[in-house]
Amino acid sequence: MVRRRRLPWVAFAMALGVLFGLMPGKALAASFEDVAPDRYRWALPAIEELQERGIMQGIGGNRFGPQLPLTRAQLAALFVRWKELPRDGIGPRFTDIQQGAWYWTDVKAAAAHGLLLGTAPQTFSPDMPVTRAMAAVVAVRSLGLGRAAESLAAAPLPYRDGDLIPDWARGAVSIALELGIMQGSGGVFRPHDPLTRAEGAVVFQRLLHVAQDEVARQAARAVKNLSVEASPAAVAVGETALVKGWPKDGRGYILPAPLSFSASGGTITPDGRFQAAKGGTYQVTVAVPGTSVKKTVTITVYETASFVVGEGLPPAVLPERPFELAVAFLTEKGAVNPRENRAQVTLTLEREGHAPQVYTATAKGGWASFTLSLPSPGVYRYRVSSPGLGEKAGEILAVEEPLGKVEAFLEKDRLPMGVAVPVTVTLKDREGQPLALAFPVRLNLAGGDGKVTVQKGGALIAGQGQLGPLAGTAPGKVELRLEVPGGALEGAVLAGDVVPRGRIQVTADKDQYRAGERARITVTLLDEGGKPLPLEGIPVTLTLRSPGDYDLEDRTLATRGGKATFDVPVTMAGPYGYRVEAPGFLPETLPGGKEGAFFTVLAGPAASFAVHVAPSTLLMPGETASIWAGWVDAYGNPASGSFRLKAVPLGKGGAAGTLNLAGESFPQGNWVGHFVAQQKGQVTWRFSPDKAAPVDVTFRVLEKPEEVAAGKGLWLMFPDWKAYGDEAILQKAVQGNFTHVYLEVATTRDQGFYGGRAMETLISKLHNKGIAFLSWTYPELRDVESDLRWTAEVIGYKSRFGVRADGYAPDIEEVIAPKAVETYAKATRQMLNPLGFQGRLIAITYPPNSWPQYPFKELAPYTDVFAPMSYWHHRAKDYTYYETYQYVRESVVKLRQYAGGPVAVSVIGQTYDMFSAGAMGIHSPGPLELEGAWQAAKDAGALGLSFYRYGTTSPSQWEVLLQLPWP
């Protein structure tokens, strides 16, 4: 017999089939030569069903391999086929999974969707046999019960070998047993035995037929707590309140458990939609069936019982003077119903001999109003009606001339700052007699260079009453206008002077300090004649102005005996100024660095050798940076001392630019040379003084200026800098090969630029490692001109050594009106260009997939880099690699679409928990999510990826961030 030689490609295909374990075949399970019906009767139905559904096939050669162990790669393929997951190659990096392997896309997909995780960081172990314990975990996880299983780790198990089941699998084994997916045999579970292919088929078939209500009941076993919310918690009759519940385990993870709803009245649907036909207070109880866990939420239902007309309506008006007729909708208790937004109201205005005028309006927040103007003198009748609430009627008199006038006086002509003073108002007729009619009187500041605040600006006054009180906030003359809507009474103008209670005296215990000493500063409150005021508890705020003319930290103390004493450490050498404020007293200001400085700080002894590069070590071809070198004290102040200096390049990269020293010997710290950038690249120069350790400085020459936001970045809020300090931040940045760091240095709510003291020290340290520094700010844009003033301070900042930030990054999220955003961006662009910041405006925006209405197009002409806050963890749930990947990638794609072109994008990812106090909790993104965001940003062609924020990054997150390469 001549044996036919098998073709090599056929042998290769068969080998893949054995490895794959899922080779297509049309033979029924009973026809597999190695699946004897008498021996595998228990597995035949499962094998046949999986075979027919295309989930699991034979291994070739009419064999199924029932006793072969099921491998992790094969299990991944089973889930991908069952779930019909996309095999697009999107998934975590595994070093033991080679692209092109038969299981490559299956493993990627299963891991990306959170079904099978790695056996170690970046390791999947595709050929490892699946143990029975592992199978239970993966099966339960595929049903969405992974968190529930973790919570049931202490559940009792009816197996003699229960002690052998690993802690990480005990909860899953318990759930698998309850659902009938895996049961063991002979009273044992055999957790470490490999799962055979025949057993795997049976387990998988059972998994396919698990009912969703059974899944919910298993989740309920792990529920320990319940969060409930009614949205809104107050509704009008007939409106719907949606009651939501989140079942949680003992650690706070949300579980897919069932919920039941009941109410003390009204109606509630199975999905939590509540309504009531009558007003009142109702309790809705949410429970987890089969458990004792339940919570009650209160819902207030408002019912409009009546309405009133003319609150604040003047009894008489001048013709053609506009006035307002207001209608208030009231509950049974007589309070305005704030939920009434549907009631219709009709106003009919009548005058004898004239056709009626009809107006309509709809309630909003419990009110409806009409702005009217009566054409000529006479008596006008009005009728107001609302369906189901009846009708109200009344009269308004239009008079040819005012009926009288408003008279008013201040109890004091001089308004002491910070002291409340009422305004007494009298209504008089034309003869000067008191007018008994009730008129609404309004009080407003009309003019003058002083300022006051009015606690209550209007009231209904009959004869005589009071308005205010007023409190002066800035000295000067003020004019106050009192007027009656409709003009039937002549208004009045009051004049007064806002005067300070006294002045502030500031003294320091010395005129001169050494860096590191503490300055003792005393603030004394004086009256106008210069005598001490022994006032207790007056808050006094001291702000020192440093030699760099930026604020040191504010401190506030309460006075004792009219004095407040501050003990403040001073570290920066140079002249200091101050600003002191106390309510009712004129602020006392002495700017630092100007004639008459408050006190001076001298540098301490030389402690180390430093090198500073101005304006930056990140340059464009053709740009020049100046280099300062010299001795500094423990606080970075230039200290006395001569030195000899040499500089040599380390390694390759010399083509990036040239460095020239002005000499080798210097009597003290000085500008010792300059670096000229030539072409894109990086080079490190070592500066070696004769009596100190060498200092390495890395210069980066960029191809495009927007590359300051390229690569991998860190985000720091100002409290992060205060908590961790320069050295810890620098260490992390270098360790993880981060290319840029954002630091929050100014916000509207904190009255502008406050980050100079951090920038003074941190920028040079980052620059010397070749790391870009980006000034991150938070302009609210409620007052664009005010925000632009402090924006100019941030953009114009430079340290004592002339070092500047490498880019400006405004975070625009409060007011996002297109006009305000465009005005701010355009003006900021005009500030940046003269300083050489072309190409370095980074706009921090909302993610377009969640905020498509954001004004991306208006920002685009002025912005060089968009930095969308692509925070995928916007719901309190677990996220998979794939969900994260899709969200971040879509964020980049849609931003370019909305911006109208191929704009540069540097994505902001997250390492904080949006749902826990302190932003570090159970919902912090996991390592695979961070990797998914990283991969998505790269695949979408983003310029870079950064993570918010430093202070909330956990050790496990740092482990991932430090390893992720870019590009």
Coordinates of all heavy atoms in Angstrom, one line a residue, residues 600-649:
T600 N 13.6 93.0 55.0 CA 14.4 92.4 54.0 C 14.9 91.0 54.5 O 15.2 90.9 55.7 CB 15.7 93.3 53.7 OG1 15.2 94.5 53.2 CG2 16.5 92.6 52.6
V601 N 15.0 90.1 53.6 CA 15.6 88.7 54.0 C 16.9 88.6 53.2 O 17.0 88.8 52.0 CB 14.6 87.6 53.6 CG1 15.2 86.3 53.8 CG2 13.3 87.8 54.4
L602 N 17.9 88.2 54.0 CA 19.2 87.9 53.4 C 19.4 86.4 53.2 O 18.9 85.6 53.9 CB 20.3 88.4 54.3 CG 20.2 89.9 54.8 CD1 21.4 90.2 55.7 CD2 20.3 90.8 53.5
A603 N 20.2 86.1 52.1 CA 20.5 84.7 51.8 C 21.3 84.1 52.9 O 22.1 84.7 53.6 CB 21.2 84.6 50.5
G604 N 21.1 82.7 53.1 CA 21.9 82.0 54.1 C 23.2 81.6 53.5 O 23.6 81.9 52.3
P605 N 24.0 80.8 54.2 CA 25.3 80.3 53.7 C 25.1 79.3 52.5 O 24.1 78.7 52.4 CB 25.9 79.6 54.9 CG 24.8 79.2 55.7 CD 23.7 80.3 55.6
A606 N 26.1 79.2 51.7 CA 26.0 78.4 50.5 C 25.8 76.9 50.9 O 26.5 76.4 51.8 CB 27.3 78.5 49.7
A607 N 24.9 76.2 50.3 CA 24.6 74.9 50.6 C 24.7 73.9 49.5 O 25.0 72.7 49.7 CB 23.1 74.8 51.2
S608 N 24.6 74.4 48.2 CA 24.7 73.5 47.1 C 24.9 74.4 45.8 O 24.9 75.6 45.9 CB 23.4 72.7 46.9 OG 22.3 73.5 46.7
F609 N 25.2 73.7 44.7 CA 25.4 74.4 43.5 C 24.2 74.2 42.6 O 23.6 73.1 42.5 CB 26.7 73.8 42.8 CG 27.2 74.7 41.7 CD1 28.0 75.8 41.9 CD2 26.9 74.4 40.4 CE1 28.5 76.6 40.9 CE2 27.4 75.2 39.3 CZ 28.2 76.3 39.6
A610 N 23.8 75.3 41.9 CA 22.6 75.2 41.1 C 22.8 75.8 39.7 O 23.7 76.6 39.5 CB 21.4 75.9 41.7
V611 N 22.0 75.3 38.7 CA 22.0 75.8 37.4 C 20.6 76.1 37.0 O 19.7 75.3 37.2 CB 22.6 74.8 36.4 CG1 22.6 75.3 34.9 CG2 24.1 74.5 36.8
H612 N 20.3 77.3 36.4 CA 19.0 77.7 35.9 C 19.1 78.1 34.5 O 20.1 78.7 34.1 CB 18.5 78.9 36.7 CG 18.2 78.6 38.2 ND1 17.0 78.1 38.6 CD2 19.0 78.7 39.3 CE1 17.1 77.9 39.9 NE2 18.3 78.3 40.3
V613 N 18.1 77.7 33.7 CA 18.1 78.1 32.2 C 16.9 78.9 31.9 O 15.8 78.5 32.3 CB 18.1 76.8 31.4 CG1 18.1 77.1 29.9 CG2 19.3 75.9 31.7
A614 N 17.2 80.1 31.3 CA 16.1 81.0 31.0 C 16.0 81.2 29.5 O 17.0 81.4 28.9 CB 16.3 82.3 31.7
P615 N 14.8 81.2 28.9 CA 13.5 81.0 29.6 C 13.1 79.6 29.9 O 12.3 79.3 30.7 CB 12.5 81.6 28.6 CG 13.1 81.4 27.3 CD 14.6 81.5 27.5
S616 N 13.8 78.6 29.2 CA 13.4 77.2 29.3 C 14.5 76.4 28.7 O 15.3 76.8 27.8 CB 12.1 76.9 28.7 OG 11.8 75.6 28.8
T617 N 14.5 75.1 29.0 CA 15.4 74.1 28.4 C 14.6 73.5 27.2 O 15.2 72.7 26.5 CB 15.8 73.0 29.3 OG1 14.7 72.4 29.8 CG2 16.7 73.6 30.4
L618 N 13.4 73.8 27.0 CA 12.6 73.3 25.8 C 12.5 74.5 24.8 O 11.9 75.5 25.1 CB 11.2 72.9 26.2 CG 11.1 71.6 27.0 CD1 11.4 71.8 28.5 CD2 9.8 70.9 26.8
L619 N 13.1 74.3 23.7 CA 13.3 75.3 22.7 C 12.9 74.9 21.3 O 12.8 73.7 21.0 CB 14.8 75.8 22.7 CG 15.4 76.2 24.1 CD1 16.9 76.2 23.9 CD2 14.8 77.5 24.5
M620 N 12.8 75.9 20.4 CA 12.6 75.6 19.0 C 13.9 75.9 18.3 O 14.8 76.6 18.8 CB 11.5 76.6 18.5 CG 10.1 76.3 19.0 SD 9.4 74.7 18.5 CE 9.3 75.1 16.7
P621 N 14.1 75.3 17.1 CA 15.4 75.5 16.4 C 15.6 77.0 16.2 O 14.7 77.8 15.8 CB 15.1 74.8 15.1 CG 14.2 73.7 15.4 CD 13.3 74.3 16.4
G622 N 16.8 77.5 16.5 CA 17.2 78.9 16.3 C 17.0 79.7 17.6 O 17.6 80.8 17.7
E623 N 16.3 79.2 18.6 CA 16.1 79.9 19.8 C 17.4 79.7 20.7 O 18.1 78.7 20.7 CB 14.9 79.4 20.6 CG 13.6 79.8 19.9 CD 12.4 79.4 20.6 OE1 12.5 78.5 21.5 OE2 11.3 80.0 20.4
T624 N 17.6 80.7 21.6 CA 18.7 80.7 22.5 C 18.2 80.8 24.0 O 17.3 81.5 24.3 CB 19.6 81.9 22.3 OG1 20.1 81.8 20.9 CG2 20.8 82.0 23.2
A625 N 18.9 80.0 24.8 CA 18.6 80.0 26.3 C 19.8 80.5 27.0 O 20.9 80.0 26.7 CB 18.1 78.7 26.7
S626 N 19.6 81.3 28.0 CA 20.8 81.8 28.9 C 20.9 80.9 30.1 O 19.9 80.4 30.6 CB 20.5 83.2 29.3 OG 20.4 84.1 28.2
I627 N 22.1 80.7 30.6 CA 22.4 79.8 31.6 C 23.0 80.5 32.8 O 24.0 81.2 32.7 CB 23.4 78.7 31.2 CG1 22.8 78.0 30.0 CG2 23.7 77.7 32.3 CD1 23.8 77.1 29.2
W628 N 22.4 80.4 34.0 CA 22.9 80.9 35.3 C 23.4 79.8 36.1 O 22.8 78.7 36.2 CB 21.8 81.7 36.0 CG 22.3 82.4 37.3 CD1 22.6 83.6 37.4 CD2 22.5 81.8 38.6 NE1 23.0 83.9 38.7 CE2 22.9 82.8 39.5 CE3 22.3 80.5 39.1 CZ2 23.2 82.5 40.8 CZ3 22.6 80.2 40.4 CH2 23.1 81.3 41.3
A629 N 24.6 80.0 36.7 CA 25.2 79.0 37.6 C 25.8 79.6 38.8 O 26.3 80.8 38.7 CB 26.2 78.1 36.8
G630 N 25.7 79.0 39.9 CA 26.3 79.5 41.1 C 25.9 78.8 42.4 O 25.1 77.9 42.3
W631 N 26.5 79.3 43.5 CA 26.1 78.7 44.8 C 24.8 79.2 45.3 O 24.5 80.4 45.0 CB 27.2 79.0 45.8 CG 28.6 78.4 45.5 CD1 29.6 79.1 44.9 CD2 28.9 77.1 45.7 NE1 30.7 78.2 44.8 CE2 30.3 77.0 45.3 CE3 28.3 76.0 46.3 CZ2 31.0 75.8 45.3 CZ3 29.0 74.8 46.4 CH2 30.3 74.7 45.9
V632 N 24.0 78.4 45.9 CA 22.8 78.8 46.5 C 22.7 78.3 47.9 O 23.3 77.3 48.3 CB 21.5 78.3 45.7 CG1 21.5 78.9 44.3 CG2 21.6 76.7 45.6
D633 N 21.8 79.0 48.7 CA 21.6 78.5 50.1 C 20.6 77.4 50.1 O 20.2 76.9 49.1 CB 21.2 79.7 51.0 CG 19.9 80.3 50.7 OD1 19.1 79.6 49.9 OD2 19.5 81.3 51.3
A634 N 20.2 77.0 51.3 CA 19.3 75.8 51.5 C 17.9 76.1 50.8 O 17.1 75.2 50.6 CB 19.1 75.5 52.9
Y635 N 17.6 77.4 50.5 CA 16.3 77.7 50.0 C 16.4 78.2 48.6 O 15.4 78.8 48.0 CB 15.7 78.8 50.9 CG 15.6 78.4 52.3 CD1 16.5 78.8 53.2 CD2 14.6 77.5 52.8 CE1 16.5 78.4 54.6 CE2 14.6 77.1 54.1 CZ 15.5 77.6 55.0 OH 15.5 77.1 56.3
G636 N 17.5 78.0 47.9 CA 17.7 78.3 46.5 C 18.0 79.8 46.2 O 18.1 80.2 45.1
N637 N 18.3 80.6 47.3 CA 18.8 81.9 47.1 C 20.2 82.0 46.6 O 21.1 81.2 47.2 CB 18.6 82.7 48.4 CG 17.2 82.8 48.8 OD1 16.3 83.2 48.1 ND2 16.9 82.3 50.1
P638 N 20.6 82.9 45.7 CA 22.0 83.0 45.3 C 22.9 83.3 46.6 O 22.5 84.3 47.3 CB 22.0 84.1 44.3 CG 20.6 84.1 43.8 CD 19.7 83.7 44.9
A639 N 23.9 82.6 46.8 CA 24.8 82.8 47.9 C 26.2 83.1 47.4 O 26.5 82.9 46.3 CB 24.9 81.5 48.8
S640 N 27.0 83.7 48.3 CA 28.3 84.1 47.8 C 29.3 82.9 47.7 O 29.1 81.9 48.4 CB 28.9 85.1 48.9 OG 29.0 84.5 50.1
G641 N 30.3 83.1 46.9 CA 31.2 82.0 46.7 C 31.7 81.9 45.2 O 30.9 81.9 44.3
S642 N 33.0 81.8 45.0 CA 33.5 81.7 43.7 C 33.6 80.2 43.3 O 33.4 79.3 44.1 CB 35.0 82.3 43.6 OG 35.8 81.5 44.5
F643 N 33.8 80.0 42.0 CA 33.8 78.6 41.5 C 34.4 78.6 40.1 O 34.5 79.6 39.4 CB 32.4 78.0 41.4 CG 31.5 78.8 40.5 CD1 31.3 78.4 39.2 CD2 30.7 79.8 41.0 CE1 30.4 79.1 38.4 CE2 29.8 80.5 40.2 CZ 29.7 80.2 38.9
R644 N 35.0 77.4 39.8 CA 35.4 77.1 38.4 C 34.4 76.1 37.8 O 33.8 75.3 38.5 CB 36.8 76.5 38.4 CG 37.9 77.5 39.0 CD 39.3 76.8 38.9 NE 39.7 76.5 37.6 CZ 40.2 77.3 36.7 NH1 40.4 78.6 37.0 NH2 40.5 76.9 35.5
L645 N 34.2 76.2 36.5 CA 33.1 75.4 35.9 C 33.5 74.9 34.6 O 34.1 75.6 33.8 CB 31.8 76.3 35.8 CG 30.5 75.6 35.3 CD1 30.0 74.7 36.3 CD2 29.5 76.7 35.0
K646 N 33.1 73.6 34.4 CA 33.3 73.0 33.1 C 32.0 72.3 32.7 O 31.2 71.9 33.5 CB 34.4 71.9 33.1 CG 35.8 72.5 33.3 CD 36.9 71.4 33.2 CE 38.3 71.9 33.4 NZ 39.3 70.9 33.4
A647 N 31.8 72.2 31.4 CA 30.5 71.6 30.9 C 30.9 70.7 29.7 O 31.6 71.0 28.8 CB 29.5 72.7 30.4
V648 N 30.3 69.4 29.8 CA 30.5 68.4 28.7 C 29.2 67.8 28.4 O 28.4 67.6 29.3 CB 31.6 67.4 29.2 CG1 32.9 68.0 29.4 CG2 31.1 66.7 30.4
P649 N 29.0 67.4 27.1 CA 27.7 66.7 26.8 C 27.8 65.2 27.2 O 28.9 64.6 27.1 CB 27.6 66.9 25.3 CG 29.1 67.0 24.8 CD 29.8 67.7 26.0

